[in-house]
Amino acid sequence: MRKNSGVELEKLSVTIPMKVGEDDKLFGSVTSQMIADALKEKGFTVDKRTIELEEPIKTLGIFEVPVKLHTKVSAKAKVWSSGNDLSVFLFYT
């Protein structure tokens, strides 16, 4: 993880492209591994086990996903989708 990562995570956004079917349901689902991979592409190494996704995301909408960066440091990932893209925005808390 980068130094000062909490401050940098406030500004970070990544996009995970997903296809959307009828009734705004995704083909497949967004998993913690996919979120971790997208963050890694931006230079943030996060273990998928620290992304506290209760269950894979399967529909369009806005989701807050906690990410445990350290025992005393966490961030919230706001995950939302629009059309064929699923965006992930992380906010330091």
Side-chain angles (χ1 to χ4, degrees), residues 2 12-17 33-46:
R2 292 182 187 170
L12 179 69
S13 67
V14 295
T15 301
I16 302 170
Q33 182 64 56
M34 293 171 76
I35 295 170
D37 290 344
L39 292 173
K40 188 174 183 179
E41 289 177 13
K42 294 284 188 171
F44 290 90
T45 303
V46 178

Side-chain angles (χ1 to χ4, degrees), residues 2 5-6 14 18 20-21 25-26 29-30 32-33 38 41 45 48 50 54-55 64-65 73 76-77 83 89 91:
R2 292 182 187 170
S5 60
V14 295
M18 297 294 292
V20 180
K25 293 190 180 192
L26 302 179
S29 58
V30 176
S32 57
Q33 182 64 56
E41 289 177 13
T45 303
K48 72 175 186 173
T50 63
E54 290 183 19
E55 59 185 47
E64 282 197 3
V65 180
V73 180
K76 287 199 177 181
F89 295 88
F91 299 94

Side-chain angles (χ1 to χ4, degrees), residues 14 62-66 75-80 87-91:
V14 295
I62 300 172
F63 308 89
E64 282 197 3
V65 180
K76 287 199 177 181
K78 275 203 174 180
V79 181
W80 66 87
S87 298
V88 179
F89 295 88
L90 292 180
F91 299 94

